[in-house]
Amino acid sequence: MVHHAAHAAGQTQGRTHLNHPTQAEIAAAFAADAAALQAAAIEAGRLLFAAECRFFYASQRIDQLPPTGLPELAFAGRSNVGKSSLINALTGHNALARASNQPGRTKQLNFFDLGGRLVLVDMPGYGYAQAAKAVKKDWQGLMFDFLRGRPTLRRVVLLLDARIEIKDSDRAVMDLLDRAAVTFQLVLTKTDGTKPPRLARKQEEVEALARRHPAAHPVVIATSAETGAGIPELRAELAGLAN
Ligand SMILES: Nc1nc2c(ncn2[C@@H]2O[C@H](COP(=O)(O)OP(=O)(O)OP(=O)(O)O)[C@@H](O)[C@H]2O)c(=O)[nH]1
Ligand SMILES: [Mg+2]
């Protein structure tokens, strides 16, 4: 691709051979190719997430999961971080996944089929301090068991609130995913509440964190379910995992 583009760049400048494009021509050719690839990925993401998305299964127990089939993506993170809202933003629905400002809204594993190509799993949150012990054991235990042992789970989208510090519970989940060798991708949520310089620092901090975790995907995406920021980029990234 780059070679062709550099060749074309050379030709437009009236050269007849392709051996000596200038540094600037090569850089321009790389940039043009990268932009074309990103545009294609964004379009693939848009198409995938424009497909019909339907809820098909809720699971409250690890021995009652739907049969495995399509590649699965699980949305994990602390209570209230915005998992259900992010699924709604990605799929362009207002209320496919139930979101609420009451932490601990999602209490089971909710499975959504996206166009027969990918399954999205909305998970209960962890780290909800006020949850009763028994409750924690129930839905948080279910979440951990699922993350550790699901063969079709292709990636965990691990959400971190851009406005607040990373917590010990987040670190514990990243360690667990490292140990289970389950790839996770860190996604910042609620970026509408953060000024650009602060958000840039946060993004760097989280990218550095990703570099320290063997199971972490290196790309960190900053999103807002409220404004739609980062949603096309996240769709593009996730479309690469679909059938
Ligand atoms: N400002 C802002 N608020 C958001 C955003 N995304 C979610 N919220 C709010 O955060 C709260 C929690 O959202 P949910 O999507 O229910 O969070 P959750 O992670 O699914 O929560 P649990 O199911 O309880 O673990 C709701 O009041 C949302 O409206 C966002 O991008 N920006
Ligand atoms: Mg939820």
Side-chain angles (χ1 to χ4, degrees), residues 180-193:
V182 175
T183 304
F184 62 94
Q185 179 156 25
L186 296 170
V187 166
L188 292 170
T189 61
K190 309 194 186 184
T191 58
D192 52 284

Side-chain angles (χ1 to χ4, degrees), residues 10-53:
Q11 279 188 334
T12 57
Q13 311 224 335
R15 287 205 211 109
T16 50
H17 59 89
L18 53 149
N19 291 338
H20 303 295
T22 64
Q23 290 276 351
E25 284 166 357
I26 293 171
F30 267 105
D33 278 356
L37 278 177
Q38 175 66 358
I42 294 272
E43 179 58 10
R46 188 190 67 75
L47 276 175
L48 173 65
F49 282 88
E52 194 196 347
C53 188

Side-chain angles (χ1 to χ4, degrees), residues 77-86 88 97-107 122-126 139 159 163 189-193 223-227:
R78 295 177 67 240
S79 287
N80 220 41
V81 70
K83 299 174 290 297
S84 301
S85 302
L86 186 62
N88 289 336
R98 289 171 77 183
S100 135
N101 59 9
Q102 176 195 359
R105 185 72 187 83
T106 308
K107 296 186 170 70
D122 189 15
M123 306 195 87
Y126 53 80
W139 11 292
L159 278 54
R163 308 166 308 178
T189 61
K190 309 194 186 184
T191 58
D192 52 284
T223 66
S224 165
E226 203 94 331
T227 66

Side-chain angles (χ1 to χ4, degrees), residues 101-156:
N101 59 9
Q102 176 195 359
R105 185 72 187 83
T106 308
K107 296 186 170 70
Q108 48 198 4
L109 300 174
N110 290 314
F111 292 79
F112 301 90
D113 175 297
L114 180 59
R117 296 180 56 201
L118 189 66
V119 169
L120 312 180
V121 188
D122 189 15
M123 306 195 87
Y126 53 80
Y128 172 35
Q130 273 96 55
K133 268 212 179 105
V135 164
K136 274 192 188 164
K137 195 163 158 281
D138 279 8
W139 11 292
Q140 300 191 6
L142 173 65
M143 181 200 78
F144 291 124
D145 289 345
F146 181 81
L147 292 181
R148 259 193 300 258
R150 181 77 169 170
T152 34
L153 181 59
R154 289 292 305 280
R155 190 175 295 176
V156 174

